[in-house]
Each structure stands twice: as C-alpha cells, then as structure tokens.
C-alpha cells in the first residue's frame, strides 16, 4: 500500500508550537477578544463562566445578570407564568423557568451574525433578567393580567426599556404589546402561529385570554392590523376564525404557503408589510411542525421547520432595516418535553431574537451600551 507523503517538517514545527504555546484567544477578532476579556474581569477578576454549564445558577436568561433595576437597563427579559387560557396541554407556567435554564446551557455569549461579523448582544445593550412576574394567588385572570400590565407599563414607559418575554400561554403577548405600543406608537407585528388568535370580545366576553391578545390591542390602538403578518396557519381551527383576519385586514399565510412560496419570498413580504413601523415579533411554538416542537399548547402536525423560521429571520436582518422593539416566545409546555429537544429549539430561537433586539436597541440609542454583572462567581474555561 502506498503511503501518503508526510507533512513537511517546517509545518509540523509550526503546529507543535501552536499546540504548546497558543491559546484560543490568540488571533481572534478584536471585538470578540474585548468581550471575552471584559467577561473575565467581572467581579473584580473572578469572571463569568461562558462555556461550561457549572456555576451558572446565579445567572439569568442567556447568562444575563438577574436584576430589577430597570432604570439602568435597555432590554429586560421577563417570564410570564400564565396558563389559565391554555386550550389543551398544560405546564406553561413552568415554561419561563425551563427556558431560562436551557438558555444557559450553551457555550458562549457570542455567535456569527447574519450580516458578517458577530452578534454580541451583551456589548450592544444593557440586558437584565427580571425573573418571572409572580402572579401566584391571582385566581381571577383579570387580576393576574392587570398585575402584569402594570409592571410592563412601568418597565417600558417609565424606565424606557424594551422587552423580551417568555410565556406562558399566548395571553403573554397582550401586556408587552400594550406597553410598547403606548411608548412607540401603533406596532407592526410579525406573528408565527398555527392559529390566527383573532378572537373578539363579541366571540367570547372575557377581557384577557390567549385568543384575543392581538384584537384587544387593535381596539386600543396599540397594534396596527394592517401591518400584521401571520405565518404557519393550519389545522381544524382555521375555518372558525379566518373571517376576522379578512375583516381586520391581517395578511396571513398557511404553513403550506410558506413551503410553496419559499422563505425568501415570505421574508420580502414581511419587509413590505411592516415597513418602518416599530415592530413586535411573537412566536407561538405551535407554528412549528410536531417533529420540531410537540411541547406546546395545541399541537398541529404539518407545520413549519425551525430552520425555515431562522432563514426568514436571517433574511430580514440581512436585507431589511426592521425596527424591532420587542419579542416573545410562548406556549412551551416543559412537562411534555422529556428529552428537552423542543426546549432547546425554543431557547435557540429566543437567543436569535435577543441578538436582533439588542442590535436594534443599539441603533435606537445611537451607541452600544455594555451589560455589567454585579455578581461574578468565577470561571473555569476560556
């Protein structure tokens, strides 16, 4: 058997030198190095662990610091443990906690951005994890949602933050849209869902639930239905509420439409629909096919693939200039997710949205603002 020629000695010498003397931080882009050095200096030099999954219990979502000092924040991550309006499956109230934990089970706080360069959200905006809004003991949903509304109003309109939210059932979207619409003016909406979620008060005389979170905001002037676009519609509920989409003027696409038209064309239509309006992004996990997420409130087969959703987001960031002011990921039911596969997809999508939101917040502020960690319990890796 003929043996392939050996690697030349001068190359081997260089490889040996790199093996013995070089560190991963050598030769990387300056902005990445600056971030890693900054993370290692937190807590008087103790540093933040960014690779391993140990010693992270004191850190919040995506390894953000826990804080309720929203006067010194730009982006606030909030959990809403709402479940009373879930139509089918349960355990939504544990969704924020589960996704918070899974979001930290990732190696690092940096990843390649869709426009080249890097997404480093903690160097673009001051991000804090507010924790969950505790509504335990609020047995009437009106009181429960009103408590949440009041907290969002303070965070958004008094302290001038934007929000990323984990649900909870889709009632979750009402409060952030109401608060952000009050601050920025009527919002556009990018909405992924198997269902229209356009129930009216005339349909069901209750002020808050997981089907009227958008229509109530239409009526209150916080959300513009003519700048709303929904992708992923399918299933046996479709015929029941589809008339509201036509009446309000919402642009909608079935999951089959997305497959037939393609993600690039769908993204172009989103850009045209939302224009330069302040934009909210709401993602109900039942938009995904059951092979990508079967841990949600109302599983509908033959839905979208998670890769399609990311391709749409990637196109929007590469080719558009959407003014994203808030986002949520809702309807995760962790007790149905024994392998945590569905949760990792949900947490991964959440990270992508946080990166986008931080990029937009830096543009609105006209500067990059650095997240600070008052507590840093040490690191063992990079």
């Amino acid at each position: 058997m003929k043996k392939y020629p050996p690697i030349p000695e001068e190359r081997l010498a260089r490889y040996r030198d790199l093996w013995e003397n070089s560190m991963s931080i050598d030769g990387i882009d300056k902005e990445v190095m600056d971030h890693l050095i900054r993370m290692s200096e937190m807590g008087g030099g103790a540093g933040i662990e960014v690779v391993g999954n140990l010693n992270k219990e004191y850190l919040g979502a995506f390894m953000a610091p826990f804080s309720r000092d929203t006067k010194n924040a730009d982006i606030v991550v909030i959990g809403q443990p709402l479940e009373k309006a879930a139509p089918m499956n349960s355990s939504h109230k544990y969704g924020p906690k589960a996704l918070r934990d899974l979001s930290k089970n990732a190696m690092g706080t940096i990843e390649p951005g869709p426009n080249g360069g890097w997404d480093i959200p903690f160097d673009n905006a001051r991000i804090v994890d507010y924790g969950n809004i505790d509504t335990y003991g609020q047995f009437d949903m009106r009181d429960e949602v009103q408590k949440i509304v009041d907290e969002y109003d303070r965070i958004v309109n008094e302290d001038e933050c934007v929000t990323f939210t984990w649900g909870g059932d889709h009632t979750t979207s009402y409060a952030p849209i109401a608060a952000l619409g009050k601050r920025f003016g009527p919002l556009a909406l990018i909405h992924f869902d198997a269902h229209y979620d356009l129930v009216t008060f005339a349909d069901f005389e209750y002020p808050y639930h997981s089907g009227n979170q958008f229509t109530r905001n239409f009526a209150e002037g916080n959300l513009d239905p003519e700048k709303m676009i929904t992708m992923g519609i399918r299933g046996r509920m479709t015929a029941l509420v589809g008339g509201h989409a036509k009446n309000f003027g919402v642009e909608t696409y079935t999951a089959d439409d997305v497959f037939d038209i393609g993600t690039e064309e769908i993204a172009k239509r989103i850009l045209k629909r939302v224009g330069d309006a302040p934009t909210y992004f709401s993602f109900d996990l039942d938009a995904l096919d059951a092979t990508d997420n079967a841990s949600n409130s109302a599983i509908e087969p033959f839905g979208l693939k998670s890769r399609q959703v990311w391709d749409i987001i990637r196109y929007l960031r590469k080719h558009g200039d959407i003014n994203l002011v808030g986002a949520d990921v809702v309807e995760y039911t962790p007790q149905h997710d024994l392998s945590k596969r569905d949760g990792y997809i949900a947490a991964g999508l959440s990270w992508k949205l946080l990166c986008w939101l931080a990029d937009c917040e830096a543009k609105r502020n006209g500067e990059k603002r650095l997240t600070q960690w008052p507590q840093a319990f040490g690191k063992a890796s990079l």
Side-chain angles (χ1 to χ4, degrees), residues 35 39 60-65 73-78 99-100 103-104 106 108-114 118-130 161-166 279-283 310 313 317 322 324-329 345-364 369 371 373:
H35 175 76
M39 295 286 281
F62 315 103
M63 293 179 286
D74 301 305
I75 298 174
V76 182
V77 180
I78 304 171
L99 291 175
R100 182 176 286 110
S103 77
K104 293 184 284 187
T109 50
I110 308 168
E111 74 170 14
W118 303 94
D119 269 332
I120 314 178
F122 294 113
D123 284 3
N124 278 336
R126 299 170 299 173
I127 302 170
V128 301
D129 186 346
Y130 191 81
C161 300
V162 298
T163 61
F164 175 84
T165 305
W166 278 318
T279 301
Y280 193 85
F281 191 113
S282 184
F283 194 90
W310 169 231
I313 293 172
R317 291 191 64 189
I322 288 176
L324 190 71
V325 300
D328 63 51
V329 173
I345 290 174
L349 175 61
S350 300
W351 167 256
K352 302 291 191 185
L353 292 173
L354 183 76
C355 289
W356 187 9
L357 188 59
D359 185 42
C360 290
E361 184 68 0
K363 292 175 182 176
R364 280 190 294 271
R369 298 175 180 174
T371 299
W373 281 261

XYZ file of all heavy atoms in Angstrom, residues 35 39 60-65 73-78 99-100 103-104 106 108-114 118-130 161-166 279-283 310 313 317 322 324-329 345-364 369 371 373:
668
model
N -14.681 41.426 24.304
C -15.806 40.907 25.076
C -15.353 39.826 26.066
O -15.738 39.840 27.235
C -16.868 40.339 24.134
C -18.004 39.669 24.837
N -19.002 40.370 25.477
C -18.287 38.349 25.038
C -19.854 39.529 26.026
N -19.442 38.297 25.769
N -15.628 39.944 30.084
C -16.329 38.937 30.879
C -15.418 38.346 31.951
O -15.860 38.060 33.073
C -16.848 37.819 29.969
C -17.902 38.253 28.969
S -19.515 38.542 29.716
C -20.102 36.871 29.885
N -28.990 34.751 35.043
C -30.323 34.704 34.472
C -30.320 34.191 33.044
O -29.419 33.451 32.622
N -31.323 34.583 32.290
C -31.506 34.126 30.923
C -30.290 34.437 30.067
O -29.764 35.554 30.097
C -32.737 34.802 30.318
N -29.837 33.443 29.317
C -28.703 33.601 28.396
C -27.424 34.037 29.121
O -26.503 34.520 28.510
C -29.026 34.606 27.284
C -30.370 34.426 26.661
C -31.431 35.266 26.983
C -30.609 33.406 25.754
C -32.674 35.104 26.416
C -31.850 33.234 25.178
C -32.892 34.075 25.502
N -27.400 33.889 30.441
C -26.305 34.312 31.322
C -26.324 35.813 31.600
O -25.329 36.400 32.021
C -24.950 33.846 30.809
C -24.834 32.327 30.867
S -23.288 31.679 30.257
C -23.475 31.886 28.493
N -27.460 36.463 31.397
C -27.618 37.862 31.799
C -27.666 37.945 33.325
O -28.013 36.973 33.999
C -28.905 38.440 31.215
N -27.326 39.102 33.884
C -27.482 39.253 35.337
C -28.947 39.346 35.724
O -29.752 39.963 35.009
C -26.758 40.579 35.622
C -26.844 41.332 34.337
C -26.776 40.306 33.249
N -31.229 49.729 32.632
C -31.279 48.632 31.662
C -31.853 49.144 30.351
O -32.526 50.181 30.306
C -32.110 47.475 32.202
N -31.569 48.414 29.286
C -32.145 48.698 27.972
C -33.111 47.604 27.531
O -34.169 47.881 26.993
C -31.023 48.832 26.920
C -30.042 49.928 27.241
O -30.492 51.075 27.430
O -28.835 49.646 27.309
N -32.722 46.360 27.754
C -33.558 45.209 27.398
C -33.821 44.401 28.660
O -32.886 44.057 29.390
C -32.873 44.319 26.345
C -32.637 45.102 25.046
C -33.714 43.071 26.064
C -31.833 44.336 24.010
N -35.086 44.102 28.908
C -35.477 43.360 30.102
C -36.112 42.043 29.657
O -37.083 42.035 28.903
C -36.468 44.170 30.964
C -36.833 43.395 32.221
C -35.871 45.527 31.333
N -35.523 40.940 30.102
C -36.080 39.610 29.841
C -37.045 39.288 30.982
O -36.693 39.384 32.153
C -34.972 38.550 29.764
C -35.572 37.166 29.497
C -33.957 38.910 28.680
N -38.267 38.924 30.618
C -39.325 38.722 31.612
C -40.013 37.386 31.357
O -40.282 37.015 30.204
C -40.372 39.852 31.541
C -39.715 41.220 31.721
C -41.472 39.653 32.588
C -40.639 42.391 31.458
N -37.032 27.423 30.140
C -36.293 28.050 29.039
C -35.119 28.875 29.565
O -34.061 28.943 28.925
C -37.232 28.914 28.198
C -38.265 28.130 27.393
C -39.225 29.068 26.680
C -37.586 27.204 26.386
N -35.295 29.481 30.715
C -34.175 30.217 31.330
C -33.003 29.261 31.586
O -31.846 29.580 31.282
C -34.651 30.870 32.624
C -33.600 31.691 33.339
C -34.179 32.373 34.558
N -35.040 33.494 34.187
C -36.359 33.521 34.325
N -36.999 32.477 34.834
N -37.051 34.577 33.966
N -31.454 28.100 28.275
C -30.749 29.178 27.564
C -29.326 29.358 28.059
O -28.484 29.917 27.354
C -31.517 30.497 27.702
O -31.326 31.087 28.982
N -29.048 28.887 29.274
C -27.685 28.985 29.824
C -26.830 27.774 29.466
O -25.619 27.797 29.677
C -27.752 29.128 31.356
C -28.365 30.429 31.813
C -28.327 30.576 33.322
C -29.371 29.737 34.010
N -29.429 30.011 35.473
N -25.466 26.713 26.936
C -24.874 26.969 25.620
C -23.457 27.471 25.835
O -23.146 28.065 26.858
C -25.693 28.005 24.856
N -21.006 29.951 25.376
C -20.604 31.288 24.997
C -21.734 32.294 24.949
O -22.913 31.973 25.112
N -21.344 33.538 24.696
C -22.275 34.663 24.587
C -22.057 35.411 23.283
O -22.415 36.573 23.157
C -22.065 35.622 25.775
O -20.664 35.921 25.900
C -22.552 35.008 27.081
N -21.475 34.735 22.316
C -21.152 35.323 21.012
C -21.486 34.301 19.937
O -21.269 33.105 20.137
C -19.642 35.651 20.895
C -19.152 36.486 22.067
C -19.329 36.351 19.579
C -17.637 36.595 22.152
N -21.992 34.765 18.791
C -22.075 33.875 17.647
C -22.021 34.686 16.359
O -22.240 35.908 16.374
C -23.333 33.011 17.697
C -24.626 33.695 17.393
C -25.766 32.671 17.241
O -25.573 31.502 17.635
O -26.817 33.052 16.730
N -21.711 34.046 15.226
C -21.649 34.786 13.966
C -22.987 35.452 13.659
O -24.052 34.845 13.801
C -21.320 33.698 12.934
C -20.647 32.620 13.724
C -21.318 32.630 15.063
N -22.929 36.711 13.239
C -24.140 37.447 12.880
C -24.522 37.206 11.432
O -23.687 36.808 10.612
N -25.771 37.422 11.078
C -26.225 37.159 9.706
C -25.643 38.122 8.683
O -25.682 37.850 7.481
C -27.748 37.321 9.807
C -27.965 38.173 10.990
C -26.859 37.860 11.954
N -20.082 39.676 14.192
C -20.510 38.882 15.341
C -21.739 39.487 16.011
O -21.896 40.705 16.042
C -19.379 38.793 16.367
C -18.141 38.221 15.801
C -17.072 38.904 15.277
C -17.842 36.829 15.640
N -16.128 38.026 14.813
C -16.572 36.742 15.031
C -18.522 35.653 15.966
C -15.977 35.527 14.731
C -17.931 34.443 15.671
C -16.663 34.386 15.060
N -22.581 38.608 16.515
C -23.656 39.032 17.414
C -23.140 38.904 18.842
O -22.851 37.790 19.318
C -24.895 38.146 17.243
C -25.866 38.690 16.213
O -25.894 39.929 16.021
O -26.594 37.884 15.608
N -23.001 40.036 19.524
C -22.578 40.060 20.921
C -23.589 40.934 21.667
O -23.343 42.116 21.935
C -21.149 40.619 21.085
C -20.192 40.001 20.053
C -20.639 40.350 22.495
C -18.773 40.537 20.110
N -24.766 40.400 21.967
C -25.836 41.248 22.498
C -25.480 41.975 23.787
O -25.913 43.108 24.004
C -27.000 40.270 22.696
C -26.373 38.902 22.732
C -25.184 38.984 21.840
N -24.663 41.346 24.638
C -24.314 41.978 25.913
C -23.349 43.148 25.749
O -23.109 43.889 26.709
C -23.730 40.936 26.868
C -24.721 39.887 27.275
C -24.555 38.569 26.878
C -25.826 40.213 28.047
C -25.476 37.592 27.253
C -26.755 39.250 28.422
C -26.579 37.941 28.029
N -22.800 43.322 24.533
C -21.986 44.500 24.240
C -22.759 45.539 23.437
O -22.227 46.615 23.129
C -20.725 44.105 23.472
C -19.677 43.451 24.361
O -19.960 43.261 25.565
O -18.600 43.111 23.856
N -23.989 45.232 23.067
C -24.831 46.180 22.335
C -25.815 46.911 23.241
O -26.219 48.038 22.944
C -25.616 45.463 21.234
C -24.796 45.248 19.979
O -23.835 45.969 19.734
N -25.170 44.258 19.188
N -26.240 46.255 24.312
C -27.272 46.833 25.175
C -27.124 46.291 26.591
O -26.558 45.212 26.801
C -28.663 46.505 24.623
N -27.648 47.048 27.536
C -27.649 46.602 28.936
C -28.847 45.668 29.129
O -29.987 46.121 29.152
C -27.730 47.812 29.860
C -26.556 48.777 29.721
C -26.806 50.064 30.479
N -27.991 50.766 29.971
C -28.515 51.858 30.537
N -27.973 52.368 31.632
N -29.587 52.417 30.009
N -28.546 44.385 29.232
C -29.581 43.353 29.287
C -29.664 42.806 30.705
O -28.636 42.456 31.294
C -29.268 42.217 28.303
C -29.149 42.761 26.871
C -30.339 41.128 28.373
C -28.612 41.761 25.878
N -30.865 42.735 31.253
C -31.065 42.134 32.564
C -32.204 41.134 32.496
O -33.105 41.248 31.658
C -31.367 43.178 33.667
C -30.225 44.182 33.786
C -32.700 43.886 33.417
N -32.131 40.148 33.360
C -33.224 39.195 33.534
C -34.026 39.620 34.754
O -33.528 39.589 35.882
C -32.676 37.786 33.708
C -33.779 36.720 33.739
O -34.962 37.096 33.900
O -33.448 35.525 33.609
N -35.261 40.009 34.525
C -36.162 40.483 35.580
C -36.728 39.327 36.395
O -37.319 39.525 37.447
C -37.294 41.258 34.900
C -38.202 42.068 35.793
C -37.823 43.324 36.240
C -39.464 41.592 36.142
C -38.663 44.095 37.020
C -40.321 42.349 36.918
C -39.913 43.602 37.360
O -40.762 44.364 38.136
N -37.432 50.906 28.752
C -36.796 49.670 28.303
C -37.649 49.022 27.216
O -38.835 49.329 27.065
C -36.650 48.687 29.467
S -35.650 49.287 30.844
N -37.044 48.110 26.471
C -37.806 47.211 25.611
C -37.732 45.818 26.238
O -36.919 45.574 27.126
C -37.283 47.205 24.156
C -37.437 48.588 23.548
C -35.834 46.739 24.082
N -38.576 44.916 25.772
C -38.707 43.634 26.478
C -38.594 42.434 25.549
O -39.020 42.470 24.394
C -40.055 43.548 27.216
O -41.132 43.638 26.255
C -40.188 44.659 28.241
N -38.021 41.377 26.090
C -38.135 40.039 25.518
C -38.836 39.183 26.561
O -38.438 39.175 27.729
C -36.770 39.428 25.179
C -36.911 38.009 24.709
C -37.215 37.744 23.393
C -36.807 36.944 25.600
C -37.409 36.434 22.962
C -36.999 35.646 25.186
C -37.294 35.385 23.858
N -39.864 38.450 26.135
C -40.728 37.754 27.089
C -40.857 36.283 26.752
O -40.999 35.900 25.583
C -42.133 38.383 27.096
O -42.022 39.786 27.362
C -43.007 37.746 28.156
N -40.843 35.451 27.812
C -41.195 34.048 27.694
C -42.550 33.809 28.344
O -42.818 34.269 29.457
C -40.171 33.164 28.410
C -38.935 32.873 27.633
C -38.833 32.562 26.315
C -37.596 32.822 28.141
N -37.529 32.325 25.964
C -36.750 32.484 27.067
C -37.037 33.027 29.401
C -35.366 32.352 27.210
C -35.668 32.889 29.553
C -34.838 32.558 28.466
N -41.794 47.441 15.454
C -42.263 46.079 15.162
C -42.084 45.153 16.355
O -41.036 45.154 17.016
C -41.522 45.516 13.935
O -41.770 46.373 12.805
C -41.980 44.108 13.612
N -43.096 44.345 16.590
C -43.069 43.307 17.615
C -43.050 41.955 16.919
O -43.631 41.780 15.837
C -44.295 43.423 18.518
C -44.218 42.604 19.785
C -43.585 43.106 20.913
C -44.775 41.333 19.851
C -43.502 42.354 22.083
C -44.691 40.576 21.012
C -44.059 41.095 22.121
O -43.966 40.352 23.270
N -42.389 40.985 17.534
C -42.279 39.634 16.980
C -42.834 38.660 18.015
O -42.325 38.577 19.124
C -40.804 39.324 16.711
C -40.527 38.088 15.900
C -39.985 38.185 14.632
C -40.773 36.821 16.417
C -39.705 37.055 13.877
C -40.504 35.687 15.679
C -39.962 35.804 14.400
N -43.887 37.934 17.639
C -44.496 36.969 18.550
C -44.437 35.580 17.935
O -44.938 35.360 16.827
C -45.943 37.345 18.852
O -46.500 36.462 19.813
N -43.831 34.654 18.677
C -43.664 33.304 18.163
C -44.349 32.301 19.079
O -43.919 32.058 20.210
C -42.181 32.940 18.038
C -41.964 31.710 17.204
C -41.784 31.818 15.843
C -41.984 30.449 17.773
C -41.621 30.684 15.058
C -41.818 29.312 17.007
C -41.639 29.426 15.643
N -35.605 30.383 11.082
C -34.316 31.059 11.174
C -33.922 31.672 9.829
O -33.398 32.793 9.770
C -33.239 30.100 11.665
C -31.829 30.639 11.540
C -30.775 30.011 10.974
C -31.338 31.902 12.003
N -29.649 30.799 11.045
C -29.962 31.970 11.676
C -31.923 32.986 12.649
C -29.163 33.073 11.969
C -31.128 34.095 12.960
C -29.762 34.130 12.616
N -35.780 34.955 9.558
C -35.185 35.969 10.426
C -33.848 36.439 9.850
O -33.536 37.641 9.830
C -34.989 35.413 11.847
C -36.347 35.143 12.502
C -34.171 36.382 12.709
C -36.259 34.422 13.831
N -32.858 40.323 8.740
C -31.733 41.077 9.296
C -30.711 41.454 8.226
O -30.087 42.519 8.306
C -31.062 40.279 10.413
C -31.927 40.149 11.663
C -31.134 39.582 12.822
N -30.062 40.483 13.228
C -29.111 40.167 14.109
N -29.104 38.960 14.657
N -28.168 41.029 14.414
N -35.644 46.517 9.856
C -36.809 46.476 10.734
C -36.440 47.055 12.095
O -35.386 46.765 12.650
C -37.328 45.037 10.871
C -38.000 44.607 9.552
C -38.321 44.900 12.036
C -38.468 43.176 9.543
N -37.111 46.540 15.417
C -37.676 45.583 16.363
C -37.653 46.175 17.767
O -36.592 46.547 18.270
C -36.881 44.288 16.331
C -37.477 43.108 17.094
C -38.728 42.578 16.379
C -36.449 41.979 17.239
N -38.822 46.235 18.405
C -38.913 46.850 19.740
C -39.318 45.867 20.825
O -39.364 46.225 22.003
C -39.890 48.050 19.733
C -39.432 49.120 18.756
C -41.313 47.608 19.429
N -39.602 44.635 20.453
C -39.983 43.649 21.450
C -40.261 42.309 20.806
O -40.491 42.224 19.593
N -40.217 41.244 21.615
C -40.448 39.902 21.083
C -40.866 38.974 22.210
O -40.594 39.237 23.387
C -39.188 39.370 20.398
N -41.524 37.898 21.832
C -41.842 36.851 22.803
C -41.813 35.489 22.138
O -41.955 35.364 20.914
C -43.187 37.097 23.496
C -44.397 37.087 22.568
O -44.556 36.122 21.794
O -45.199 38.037 22.614
N -41.584 34.459 22.956
C -41.717 33.061 22.569
C -42.640 32.429 23.603
O -42.364 32.490 24.804
C -40.352 32.351 22.536
C -40.527 30.853 22.293
C -39.462 32.957 21.452
N -34.777 24.061 21.023
C -35.175 24.815 19.828
C -35.794 26.152 20.231
O -35.474 27.207 19.675
C -36.152 23.992 18.967
C -35.415 22.813 18.328
C -36.801 24.860 17.890
C -36.304 21.848 17.577
N -36.660 26.125 21.245
C -37.296 27.359 21.714
C -36.269 28.328 22.291
O -36.315 29.542 22.033
C -38.367 27.044 22.753
N -35.332 27.810 23.077
C -34.299 28.669 23.659
C -33.361 29.202 22.587
O -32.912 30.354 22.658
C -33.508 27.895 24.710
N -33.056 28.375 21.578
C -32.206 28.833 20.486
C -32.857 29.947 19.680
O -32.208 30.933 19.331
N -34.136 29.793 19.383
C -34.863 30.858 18.691
C -34.906 32.118 19.552
O -34.758 33.247 19.043
C -36.283 30.385 18.377
C -37.219 31.421 17.757
C -36.690 31.901 16.416
C -38.633 30.838 17.593
N -35.076 31.950 20.844
C -35.098 33.094 21.755
C -33.778 33.865 21.703
O -33.759 35.104 21.702
C -35.367 32.623 23.186
O -36.598 31.953 23.288
N -32.673 33.144 21.670
C -31.357 33.789 21.577
C -31.236 34.601 20.291
O -30.737 35.726 20.286
C -30.266 32.729 21.669
C -28.893 33.224 21.285
C -28.231 32.988 20.117
C -28.018 34.047 22.080
N -27.007 33.602 20.132
C -26.841 34.261 21.321
C -28.120 34.612 23.347
C -25.770 35.023 21.789
C -27.051 35.375 23.820
C -25.904 35.575 23.047
N -31.693 34.025 19.175
C -31.636 34.744 17.896
C -32.423 36.049 17.974
O -31.979 37.091 17.476
C -32.209 33.879 16.771
C -31.545 32.542 16.558
C -30.150 32.656 16.002
C -29.626 31.296 15.554
N -28.221 31.346 15.111
N -33.588 36.000 18.611
C -34.402 37.208 18.740
C -33.749 38.216 19.673
O -33.801 39.431 19.433
C -35.802 36.833 19.231
C -36.656 36.039 18.236
C -37.951 35.576 18.894
C -36.969 36.871 16.989
N -33.124 37.743 20.749
C -32.431 38.657 21.661
C -31.286 39.369 20.944
O -31.089 40.580 21.120
C -31.902 37.896 22.868
C -31.210 38.768 23.920
C -32.236 39.531 24.750
C -30.313 37.928 24.831
N -30.528 38.638 20.134
C -29.434 39.260 19.377
C -29.967 40.350 18.452
O -29.389 41.446 18.363
C -28.704 38.201 18.559
S -27.706 37.045 19.523
N -31.062 40.066 17.770
C -31.674 41.037 16.858
C -32.173 42.253 17.635
O -31.945 43.399 17.247
C -32.805 40.343 16.108
C -33.448 41.127 15.013
C -33.041 42.336 14.486
C -34.625 40.749 14.286
N -33.898 42.716 13.484
C -34.869 41.777 13.341
C -35.493 39.667 14.353
C -35.965 41.721 12.468
C -36.572 39.612 13.489
C -36.802 40.632 12.548
N -32.825 41.997 18.749
C -33.367 43.088 19.558
C -32.247 43.976 20.093
O -32.368 45.214 20.111
C -34.193 42.511 20.698
C -34.999 43.479 21.564
C -35.994 44.274 20.730
C -35.733 42.715 22.667
N -31.132 43.378 20.526
C -30.007 44.163 21.040
C -29.377 45.012 19.951
O -28.973 46.159 20.185
C -28.970 43.228 21.656
N -29.292 44.461 18.747
C -28.761 45.219 17.615
C -29.642 46.431 17.322
O -29.149 47.552 17.117
C -28.675 44.293 16.401
C -28.026 44.947 15.202
O -27.012 45.665 15.374
O -28.505 44.746 14.079
N -30.956 46.229 17.338
C -31.891 47.340 17.084
C -31.847 48.374 18.209
O -31.929 49.580 17.956
C -33.308 46.800 16.922
S -33.571 45.860 15.398
N -31.689 47.920 19.440
C -31.647 48.847 20.564
C -30.401 49.723 20.496
O -30.465 50.931 20.787
C -31.688 48.062 21.882
C -31.750 48.922 23.133
C -33.042 49.698 23.325
O -33.954 49.580 22.471
O -33.141 50.434 24.331
N -29.269 49.160 20.086
C -28.054 49.960 19.923
C -28.247 51.035 18.853
O -27.801 52.178 19.011
C -26.875 49.054 19.564
N -28.933 50.692 17.779
C -29.211 51.673 16.723
C -30.117 52.781 17.242
O -29.904 53.967 16.949
C -29.847 50.982 15.512
C -28.898 50.052 14.774
C -29.620 49.305 13.667
C -28.687 48.329 12.962
N -29.408 47.519 11.928
N -31.163 52.413 18.012
C -32.063 53.438 18.545
C -31.343 54.355 19.527
O -31.590 55.560 19.566
C -33.262 52.773 19.244
C -34.337 52.288 18.310
C -35.582 51.859 19.069
N -35.348 50.692 19.905
C -35.486 49.435 19.494
N -35.822 49.180 18.246
N -35.255 48.426 20.322
N -24.136 49.939 24.474
C -24.075 50.018 25.927
C -23.762 48.640 26.486
O -24.367 47.648 26.073
C -25.402 50.541 26.489
C -25.729 51.956 26.009
C -27.097 52.383 26.486
N -27.418 53.737 26.033
C -28.610 54.316 26.205
N -29.597 53.640 26.826
N -28.828 55.538 25.776
N -23.495 45.530 29.055
C -24.087 44.875 30.223
C -23.016 44.682 31.290
O -21.884 44.301 30.986
C -24.669 43.510 29.830
O -25.699 43.697 28.846
C -25.264 42.790 31.046
N -22.158 42.864 35.152
C -22.552 41.803 36.073
C -22.081 42.170 37.478
O -20.873 42.057 37.771
C -21.932 40.478 35.665
C -22.616 39.787 34.530
C -23.522 38.772 34.602
C -22.435 40.049 33.129
N -23.920 38.377 33.341
C -23.272 39.166 32.418
C -21.654 40.960 32.397
C -23.349 39.136 31.034
C -21.732 40.951 31.033
C -22.560 40.048 30.353
